[in-house]
Amino acid sequence: MLQTPHQSPQAAVVPVQRTSSREQTGPWHSEAVCRRDEAGLFFAPSKEPTAARLSREQAAKRVCARCPVLVECREHALLQPEPYGVWGGLTAAERRVMLARRRRRDADLGQSAQVPRIA
Ligand code: SF4
């Protein structure tokens, strides 16, 4: 079984047998700082209070900030897309915002490519 960066919600139930798309991560995962997320920082336990979630996410982001594969991890999470957890220093909500911006940008670029230029 391929090692993956950090624990998924499924892994919280079955810690060693990870079954999420984390198994499809690239070779970057071997350098992930969060490979052993014993503290469970990267995914929310069920019914986590908001203050606890914010604190946990900030702690996870501090781990990501010193991770040598942050860029690769973030792109992986955006391309999948990964719906849960902190990946590449971004929460799921932050990734949704980033993806929406990318879609808007791509749509704008597509439209501007079709609009004839006025000399
Ligand atoms: S950037 Fe964060 S989530 Fe991604 S591999 Fe590194 S520590 Fe893990």
Side-chain angles (χ1 to χ4, degrees), residues 5-6 28 32-35 42 60 63-64 67 69-70 73-74 86-89:
H6 51 252
W28 55 268
V33 170
C34 62
R35 285 184 69 181
F42 293 86
V63 174
C64 293
C67 181
V69 292
L70 183 148
C73 174
R74 181 177 291 180
V86 173
W87 290 77

Side-chain angles (χ1 to χ4, degrees), residues 12-58:
V13 178
V14 186
V16 180
Q17 299 285 318
R18 201 168 297 154
T19 57
S20 76
S21 60
R22 283 164 202 281
E23 292 176 359
Q24 299 163 12
T25 57
W28 55 268
H29 74 271
S30 63
E31 296 179 53
V33 170
C34 62
R35 285 184 69 181
R36 294 181 179 214
D37 176 29
E38 286 93 356
L41 293 177
F42 293 86
F43 289 95
S46 63
K47 300 180 182 175
E48 183 179 40
T50 300
R53 175 179 55 79
L54 294 173
S55 175
R56 179 185 51 73
E57 288 174 346
Q58 288 307 312

